[in-house]
Amino acid sequence: MTLDQHLLQILIDTYPDTVSFESFSRQYTCSKEDFLEASRILKNKKYPVSYTNSSLYLTLPLISKSKLSRLTQHTKTHHPFIVKEAIPSTNTFALNSFSSFEEGSVILAHHQTKGKGRLGRQWSATMGKSIALSLVLRPTIDSQSLPLFTQLTAAALCQALKAYGDTQIKWPNDIVLNGKKVAGILIESQFQENRLEGLVIGIGINTHLEPDDFEDSLLHKATSLKIETKQTVDPNVIIADFLIEFDQFYTDWLETRQTFPFISLCKKESALLGKEIHVYSPNEPPKTATVKDINEKGELIVHYQGHAQLTPLQSLDFSVRNSQNGYI
Ligand code: BTN
């Protein structure tokens, strides 16, 4: 590890306290110049570091491998953590080296520079202000069951974020806090010679983004935990809470293949049930429908205006929006 990486590690584990040159140089023999240079490198990489009286400190809590391991020591599945400084996308990183990651591995990045969203969209994230997480799984399932995982993940994430306010699920993959999107889910699959080898469950959570961090066009529909709670939140606690909730649903489902526990939560917390929406599918004009249900396969059951029958929508093919042009 380089000196700046050591310094970052100590800053993360010392947060919110300061790290002085004296204490740092006791552990890593270096000159004051080396210490200052390491601080400059962290600043240039846009880590949230500040100085006070020749000491350094982080202005935000960052992902800490040791804290995560401590917080998840009793989870139902073992979760090895891989924390990267800056990578284009944690999902792409996980997919590119899929076979090298064991089941339950969690890939995280302090800064995700080219995050991917659903339906080919981008997912932007500012250094240290959002969580970019990819969970590697190898369940024995056929590809028909894939949409179920979005609902299972949404239920777990919605539960984990309840501590920060009124969370809801906007089918299929958005978590909404006080009416605005705070987190999104992108599940990608890994195939080998037509055989489903496994899944990468990607999650992005806006933790400390400020209004200035959002493009103007997103301000009315996106938010962060910081904006809503006016508090600094600990990403490690959020990640651990999510994994605890996820493991519960996932291990139960592996044993019983019953979807009721998480689908019933998706229905209870749905931001869409009973609402009128516009349904967007590729190459077709939007259609107006009323949301009637979410079935046991995780499909959204809608009633299109003028149709006698109800129609199930699969999450892979559709996006939906409030018909009043609002977000939900
Ligand atoms: C969406 O709402 O459209 C889904 C957003 C998913 C973003 C996460 S961040 C971690 C993981 N890596 C990616 O490139 N995307 C997902």
Side-chain angles (χ1 to χ4, degrees), residues 88-92 107 112 114-125 131-134 173-175 181 183-188 200-205:
S89 151
T90 54
N91 266 25
T92 306
I107 293 115
Q112 180 174 251
K114 258 194 162 172
K116 298 181 289 184
R118 215 175 135 254
L119 306 172
R121 297 182 190 125
Q122 285 188 353
W123 178 266
S124 55
I131 294 172
L133 175 159
S134 295
N173 71 316
D174 291 358
I175 304 299
K181 176 164 176 169
I185 300 161
L186 173 69
I187 302 197
E188 296 187 273
V200 172
I201 302 205
I203 287 174
I205 307 171

Side-chain angles (χ1 to χ4, degrees), residues 9-295:
Q9 213 41 63
I10 293 204
L11 283 164
I12 288 175
D13 292 331
T14 320
Y15 176 88
D17 294 335
T18 58
V19 176
S20 66
F21 163 64
E22 285 72 27
S23 66
F24 184 73
S25 61
R26 240 175 274 134
Q27 225 177 320
Y28 301 97
T29 319
C30 69
S31 68
K32 184 122 192 204
E33 256 320 299
D34 293 338
F35 176 75
L36 291 174
E37 177 56 18
S39 328
R40 267 193 293 275
I41 292 175
L42 295 182
K43 265 243 167 257
N44 287 342
K45 287 183 180 170
K46 302 234 170 350
Y47 281 101
V49 283
S50 267
Y51 295 96
T52 170
N53 301 331
S54 79
S55 290
L56 212 59
Y57 67 101
L58 284 177
T59 56
L60 290 174
L62 297 182
I63 289 161
S64 154
K65 231 168 151 172
S66 57
K67 190 161 187 190
L68 278 172
S69 304
R70 199 167 0 101
L71 290 169
T72 56
Q73 57 187 320
H74 301 302
T75 48
K76 294 201 159 193
T77 312
H78 171 58
H79 292 292
F81 293 102
I82 298 102
V83 183
K84 307 303 286 180
E85 273 206 27
I87 49 174
S89 151
T90 54
N91 266 25
T92 306
F93 185 83
L95 288 168
N96 285 347
S97 310
F98 193 81
S99 54
S100 69
F101 295 118
E102 53 179 289
E103 162 91 1
S105 294
V106 176
I107 293 115
L108 296 150
H110 293 303
H111 190 195
Q112 180 174 251
T113 55
K114 258 194 162 172
K116 298 181 289 184
R118 215 175 135 254
L119 306 172
R121 297 182 190 125
Q122 285 188 353
W123 178 266
S124 55
T126 314
M127 164 65 104
K129 292 187 177 182
S130 50
I131 294 172
L133 175 159
S134 295
L135 171 62
V136 172
L137 293 181
R138 291 192 180 77
T140 27
I141 54 163
D142 54 40
S143 46
Q144 307 282 321
S145 312
L146 280 175
L148 269 182
F149 277 80
T150 306
Q151 300 314 302
L152 190 155
T153 307
L157 194 52
C158 183
Q159 284 294 85
L161 296 178
K162 274 263 168 278
Y164 306 92
D166 177 22
T167 48
Q168 286 185 299
I169 301 168
K170 178 174 170 271
W171 186 93
N173 71 316
D174 291 358
I175 304 299
V176 173
L177 177 58
N178 303 336
K180 291 180 176 182
K181 176 164 176 169
V182 75
I185 300 161
L186 173 69
I187 302 197
E188 296 187 273
S189 39
Q190 178 81 355
F191 282 87
Q192 205 170 35
E193 289 156 11
N194 290 335
R195 193 182 62 81
L196 181 67
E197 206 191 336
L199 306 177
V200 172
I201 302 205
I203 287 174
I205 307 171
N206 299 336
T207 46
H208 294 107
L209 294 172
E210 303 285 354
D212 282 355
D213 294 312
F214 291 103
E215 284 171 25
D216 287 350
S217 60
L218 288 179
L219 265 175
H220 71 288
K221 54 181 182 179
T223 192
S224 73
L225 297 174
K226 172 75 194 298
I227 293 174
E228 297 304 316
T229 62
K230 317 268 183 288
Q231 313 246 319
T232 300
V233 297
D234 185 342
N236 302 294
V237 171
I238 296 168
I239 293 165
D241 286 349
F242 163 70
L243 291 172
I244 291 164
E245 298 287 346
F246 183 93
D247 285 357
Q248 185 68 50
F249 286 131
Y250 181 55
T251 49
D252 285 356
W253 179 80
L254 281 178
E255 253 172 52
T256 65
R257 301 282 159 154
Q258 293 293 316
T259 62
F260 177 78
F262 57 89
I263 293 292
S264 60
L265 204 133
C266 291
K267 282 162 71 164
K268 179 168 159 263
E269 305 295 356
S270 172
L272 296 181
L273 267 185
K275 296 226 168 105
E276 190 177 89
I277 57 166
H278 283 156
V279 179
Y280 295 80
S281 46
N283 310 320
E284 277 183 41
K287 289 195 228 157
T288 306
T290 308
V291 179
K292 296 289 184 190
D293 199 4
I294 298 171
N295 70 10

